[in-house]
mmCIF file of all heavy atoms in Angstrom:
data_model
loop_
_atom_site.group_PDB
_atom_site.id
_atom_site.type_symbol
_atom_site.label_atom_id
_atom_site.label_comp_id
_atom_site.label_asym_id
_atom_site.label_seq_id
_atom_site.Cartn_x
_atom_site.Cartn_y
_atom_site.Cartn_z
ATOM 1 N N LEU A 251 -0.469 8.182 1.264
ATOM 2 C CA LEU A 251 -1.609 8.959 0.773
ATOM 3 C C LEU A 251 -1.195 9.805 -0.416
ATOM 4 O O LEU A 251 -0.178 10.463 -0.401
ATOM 5 C CB LEU A 251 -2.110 9.844 1.908
ATOM 6 C CG LEU A 251 -3.420 10.554 1.633
ATOM 7 C CD1 LEU A 251 -4.543 9.557 1.546
ATOM 8 C CD2 LEU A 251 -3.704 11.549 2.738
ATOM 9 N N ARG A 252 -2.009 9.732 -1.472
ATOM 10 C CA ARG A 252 -1.725 10.558 -2.643
ATOM 11 C C ARG A 252 -2.939 11.397 -2.946
ATOM 12 O O ARG A 252 -4.037 11.097 -2.566
ATOM 13 C CB ARG A 252 -1.402 9.649 -3.843
ATOM 14 C CG ARG A 252 -0.117 8.880 -3.690
ATOM 15 C CD ARG A 252 0.814 9.044 -4.867
ATOM 16 N NE ARG A 252 0.155 9.069 -6.153
ATOM 17 C CZ ARG A 252 0.469 8.257 -7.167
ATOM 18 N NH1 ARG A 252 1.380 7.344 -7.016
ATOM 19 N NH2 ARG A 252 -0.131 8.369 -8.329
ATOM 20 N N LYS A 253 -2.720 12.454 -3.646
ATOM 21 C CA LYS A 253 -3.807 13.378 -3.961
ATOM 22 C C LYS A 253 -4.448 13.000 -5.299
ATOM 23 O O LYS A 253 -3.777 12.493 -6.190
ATOM 24 C CB LYS A 253 -3.247 14.795 -4.074
ATOM 25 C CG LYS A 253 -2.809 15.352 -2.745
ATOM 26 C CD LYS A 253 -3.968 16.077 -2.104
ATOM 27 C CE LYS A 253 -3.718 16.358 -0.639
ATOM 28 N NZ LYS A 253 -4.903 16.707 0.103
ATOM 29 N N ALA A 254 -5.731 13.259 -5.445
ATOM 30 C CA ALA A 254 -6.411 13.091 -6.736
ATOM 31 C C ALA A 254 -7.481 14.164 -6.831
ATOM 32 O O ALA A 254 -8.047 14.552 -5.813
ATOM 33 C CB ALA A 254 -7.033 11.710 -6.829
ATOM 34 N N GLU A 255 -7.753 14.640 -8.028
ATOM 35 C CA GLU A 255 -8.780 15.688 -8.191
ATOM 36 C C GLU A 255 -10.120 15.116 -8.605
ATOM 37 O O GLU A 255 -11.163 15.724 -8.438
ATOM 38 C CB GLU A 255 -8.329 16.686 -9.261
ATOM 39 C CG GLU A 255 -7.413 17.727 -8.698
ATOM 40 C CD GLU A 255 -7.791 19.126 -9.137
ATOM 41 O OE1 GLU A 255 -8.940 19.371 -9.524
ATOM 42 O OE2 GLU A 255 -6.897 19.972 -9.084
ATOM 43 N N ILE A 256 -10.048 13.941 -9.228
ATOM 44 C CA ILE A 256 -11.259 13.322 -9.776
ATOM 45 C C ILE A 256 -11.336 11.904 -9.221
ATOM 46 O O ILE A 256 -10.298 11.258 -9.035
ATOM 47 C CB ILE A 256 -11.167 13.276 -11.314
ATOM 48 C CG1 ILE A 256 -11.011 14.694 -11.866
ATOM 49 C CG2 ILE A 256 -12.367 12.574 -11.935
ATOM 50 C CD1 ILE A 256 -10.566 14.746 -13.320
ATOM 51 N N ALA A 257 -12.560 11.427 -8.980
ATOM 52 C CA ALA A 257 -12.704 10.036 -8.548
ATOM 53 C C ALA A 257 -13.802 9.354 -9.347
ATOM 54 O O ALA A 257 -14.768 9.994 -9.784
ATOM 55 C CB ALA A 257 -13.027 9.964 -7.058
ATOM 56 N N ILE A 258 -13.601 8.062 -9.522
ATOM 57 C CA ILE A 258 -14.648 7.218 -10.100
ATOM 58 C C ILE A 258 -15.049 6.234 -9.003
ATOM 59 O O ILE A 258 -14.185 5.611 -8.380
ATOM 60 C CB ILE A 258 -14.120 6.488 -11.348
ATOM 61 C CG1 ILE A 258 -13.790 7.514 -12.441
ATOM 62 C CG2 ILE A 258 -15.129 5.454 -11.853
ATOM 63 C CD1 ILE A 258 -13.027 6.956 -13.613
ATOM 64 N N ILE A 259 -16.353 6.163 -8.734
ATOM 65 C CA ILE A 259 -16.849 5.170 -7.776
ATOM 66 C C ILE A 259 -17.654 4.156 -8.567
ATOM 67 O O ILE A 259 -18.576 4.530 -9.304
ATOM 68 C CB ILE A 259 -17.770 5.804 -6.704
ATOM 69 C CG1 ILE A 259 -17.059 6.935 -5.962
ATOM 70 C CG2 ILE A 259 -18.244 4.741 -5.722
ATOM 71 C CD1 ILE A 259 -17.924 7.586 -4.862
ATOM 72 N N GLY A 260 -17.318 2.899 -8.443
ATOM 73 C CA GLY A 260 -18.090 1.927 -9.213
ATOM 74 C C GLY A 260 -17.685 0.508 -8.913
ATOM 75 O O GLY A 260 -17.047 0.228 -7.895
ATOM 76 N N GLY A 261 -18.051 -0.350 -9.818
ATOM 77 C CA GLY A 261 -17.819 -1.781 -9.640
ATOM 78 C C GLY A 261 -16.419 -2.170 -10.080
ATOM 79 O O GLY A 261 -15.709 -1.395 -10.720
ATOM 80 N N THR A 262 -16.053 -3.398 -9.707
ATOM 81 C CA THR A 262 -14.725 -3.877 -10.072
ATOM 82 C C THR A 262 -14.601 -3.962 -11.588
ATOM 83 O O THR A 262 -15.584 -4.149 -12.294
ATOM 84 C CB THR A 262 -14.438 -5.267 -9.456
ATOM 85 O OG1 THR A 262 -15.658 -5.994 -9.477
ATOM 86 C CG2 THR A 262 -13.930 -5.172 -8.047
ATOM 87 N N GLY A 263 -13.372 -3.814 -12.060
ATOM 88 C CA GLY A 263 -13.126 -3.828 -13.507
ATOM 89 C C GLY A 263 -12.811 -2.432 -14.003
ATOM 90 O O GLY A 263 -12.015 -2.252 -14.916
ATOM 91 N N LEU A 264 -13.413 -1.440 -13.372
ATOM 92 C CA LEU A 264 -13.209 -0.067 -13.851
ATOM 93 C C LEU A 264 -11.829 0.473 -13.506
ATOM 94 O O LEU A 264 -11.364 1.427 -14.131
ATOM 95 C CB LEU A 264 -14.280 0.859 -13.272
ATOM 96 C CG LEU A 264 -15.660 0.743 -13.925
ATOM 97 C CD1 LEU A 264 -16.688 1.535 -13.152
ATOM 98 C CD2 LEU A 264 -15.625 1.220 -15.375
ATOM 99 N N GLU A 265 -11.149 -0.142 -12.530
ATOM 100 C CA GLU A 265 -9.818 0.360 -12.168
ATOM 101 C C GLU A 265 -8.839 0.205 -13.334
ATOM 102 O O GLU A 265 -7.812 0.886 -13.394
ATOM 103 C CB GLU A 265 -9.266 -0.322 -10.900
ATOM 104 C CG GLU A 265 -8.962 -1.800 -11.011
ATOM 105 C CD GLU A 265 -10.205 -2.631 -10.703
ATOM 106 O OE1 GLU A 265 -11.332 -2.123 -10.862
ATOM 107 O OE2 GLU A 265 -10.040 -3.799 -10.328
ATOM 108 N N ALA A 266 -9.182 -0.668 -14.305
ATOM 109 C CA ALA A 266 -8.332 -0.860 -15.479
ATOM 110 C C ALA A 266 -8.222 0.420 -16.308
ATOM 111 O O ALA A 266 -7.357 0.536 -17.172
ATOM 112 C CB ALA A 266 -8.896 -1.997 -16.329
ATOM 113 N N LEU A 267 -9.107 1.362 -16.045
ATOM 114 C CA LEU A 267 -9.073 2.662 -16.721
ATOM 115 C C LEU A 267 -7.809 3.454 -16.424
ATOM 116 O O LEU A 267 -7.396 4.300 -17.198
ATOM 117 C CB LEU A 267 -10.209 3.524 -16.139
ATOM 118 C CG LEU A 267 -11.544 3.525 -16.781
ATOM 119 C CD1 LEU A 267 -12.528 4.267 -15.895
ATOM 120 C CD2 LEU A 267 -11.428 4.238 -18.109
ATOM 121 N N LEU A 268 -7.253 3.216 -15.247
ATOM 122 C CA LEU A 268 -6.159 4.056 -14.763
ATOM 123 C C LEU A 268 -4.813 3.455 -15.138
ATOM 124 O O LEU A 268 -4.643 2.244 -15.131
ATOM 125 C CB LEU A 268 -6.227 4.205 -13.236
ATOM 126 C CG LEU A 268 -7.546 4.671 -12.648
ATOM 127 C CD1 LEU A 268 -7.433 4.784 -11.135
ATOM 128 C CD2 LEU A 268 -7.956 5.998 -13.233
ATOM 129 N N LYS A 269 -3.856 4.362 -15.426
ATOM 130 C CA LYS A 269 -2.477 3.925 -15.703
ATOM 131 C C LYS A 269 -1.619 4.183 -14.477
ATOM 132 O O LYS A 269 -1.867 5.128 -13.729
ATOM 133 C CB LYS A 269 -1.929 4.736 -16.880
ATOM 134 C CG LYS A 269 -2.635 4.466 -18.196
ATOM 135 C CD LYS A 269 -1.594 4.273 -19.317
ATOM 136 C CE LYS A 269 -2.237 3.704 -20.562
ATOM 137 N NZ LYS A 269 -3.124 4.664 -21.218
ATOM 138 N N SER A 270 -0.577 3.385 -14.307
ATOM 139 C CA SER A 270 0.408 3.538 -13.216
ATOM 140 C C SER A 270 -0.273 3.705 -11.858
ATOM 141 O O SER A 270 -0.047 4.682 -11.144
ATOM 142 C CB SER A 270 1.324 4.744 -13.422
ATOM 143 O OG SER A 270 1.397 5.149 -14.735
ATOM 144 N N THR A 271 -1.122 2.763 -11.514
ATOM 145 C CA THR A 271 -1.890 2.927 -10.269
ATOM 146 C C THR A 271 -1.095 2.518 -9.026
ATOM 147 O O THR A 271 -0.210 1.661 -9.081
ATOM 148 C CB THR A 271 -3.155 2.063 -10.291
ATOM 149 O OG1 THR A 271 -2.808 0.765 -10.718
ATOM 150 C CG2 THR A 271 -4.208 2.646 -11.157
ATOM 151 N N LYS A 272 -1.453 3.166 -7.939
ATOM 152 C CA LYS A 272 -1.004 2.768 -6.596
ATOM 153 C C LYS A 272 -2.249 2.560 -5.776
ATOM 154 O O LYS A 272 -3.244 3.266 -5.973
ATOM 155 C CB LYS A 272 -0.219 3.903 -5.962
ATOM 156 C CG LYS A 272 1.178 4.053 -6.465
ATOM 157 C CD LYS A 272 2.050 4.622 -5.364
ATOM 158 C CE LYS A 272 3.495 4.429 -5.763
ATOM 159 N NZ LYS A 272 4.393 5.384 -5.170
ATOM 160 N N GLN A 273 -2.200 1.607 -4.860
ATOM 161 C CA GLN A 273 -3.328 1.468 -3.935
ATOM 162 C C GLN A 273 -3.055 2.274 -2.687
ATOM 163 O O GLN A 273 -1.933 2.252 -2.172
ATOM 164 C CB GLN A 273 -3.525 0.007 -3.565
ATOM 165 C CG GLN A 273 -4.552 -0.635 -4.450
ATOM 166 C CD GLN A 273 -5.090 -1.934 -3.878
ATOM 167 O OE1 GLN A 273 -4.694 -2.392 -2.827
ATOM 168 N NE2 GLN A 273 -5.998 -2.528 -4.604
ATOM 169 N N ILE A 274 -4.067 2.985 -2.233
ATOM 170 C CA ILE A 274 -3.881 3.773 -1.019
ATOM 171 C C ILE A 274 -4.933 3.375 0.014
ATOM 172 O O ILE A 274 -6.005 2.890 -0.334
ATOM 173 C CB ILE A 274 -3.968 5.295 -1.292
ATOM 174 C CG1 ILE A 274 -5.336 5.684 -1.878
ATOM 175 C CG2 ILE A 274 -2.850 5.748 -2.205
ATOM 176 C CD1 ILE A 274 -5.583 7.178 -1.902
ATOM 177 N N LEU A 275 -4.583 3.579 1.276
ATOM 178 C CA LEU A 275 -5.550 3.371 2.359
ATOM 179 C C LEU A 275 -5.885 4.735 2.942
ATOM 180 O O LEU A 275 -4.991 5.492 3.288
ATOM 181 C CB LEU A 275 -4.938 2.492 3.451
ATOM 182 C CG LEU A 275 -5.049 0.983 3.250
ATOM 183 C CD1 LEU A 275 -4.536 0.259 4.477
ATOM 184 C CD2 LEU A 275 -6.499 0.568 2.978
ATOM 185 N N VAL A 276 -7.157 5.058 3.006
ATOM 186 C CA VAL A 276 -7.566 6.368 3.506
ATOM 187 C C VAL A 276 -8.429 6.164 4.747
ATOM 188 O O VAL A 276 -9.407 5.427 4.718
ATOM 189 C CB VAL A 276 -8.370 7.135 2.423
ATOM 190 C CG1 VAL A 276 -8.667 8.547 2.899
ATOM 191 C CG2 VAL A 276 -7.637 7.156 1.093
ATOM 192 N N GLU A 277 -8.039 6.844 5.819
ATOM 193 C CA GLU A 277 -8.825 6.795 7.059
ATOM 194 C C GLU A 277 -9.629 8.061 7.208
ATOM 195 O O GLU A 277 -9.170 9.140 6.817
ATOM 196 C CB GLU A 277 -7.890 6.688 8.263
ATOM 197 C CG GLU A 277 -7.407 5.291 8.539
ATOM 198 C CD GLU A 277 -6.506 5.278 9.761
ATOM 199 O OE1 GLU A 277 -7.016 5.511 10.867
ATOM 200 O OE2 GLU A 277 -5.298 5.042 9.575
ATOM 201 N N THR A 278 -10.813 7.931 7.782
ATOM 202 C CA THR A 278 -11.664 9.103 8.010
ATOM 203 C C THR A 278 -12.300 8.965 9.392
ATOM 204 O O THR A 278 -12.286 7.869 9.968
ATOM 205 C CB THR A 278 -12.799 9.181 6.963
ATOM 206 O OG1 THR A 278 -13.814 8.233 7.329
ATOM 207 C CG2 THR A 278 -12.330 8.909 5.545
#
Side-chain angles (χ1 to χ4, degrees):
L251 189 67
R252 293 232 321 234
K253 290 270 166 196
E255 276 227 22
I256 301 166
I258 295 169
I259 304 181
T262 36
L264 284 171
E265 66 273 24
L267 268 171
L268 307 181
K269 294 226 167 70
S270 338
T271 47
K272 283 210 166 154
Q273 265 197 359
I274 60 168
L275 274 186
V276 186
E277 278 181 68
T278 78

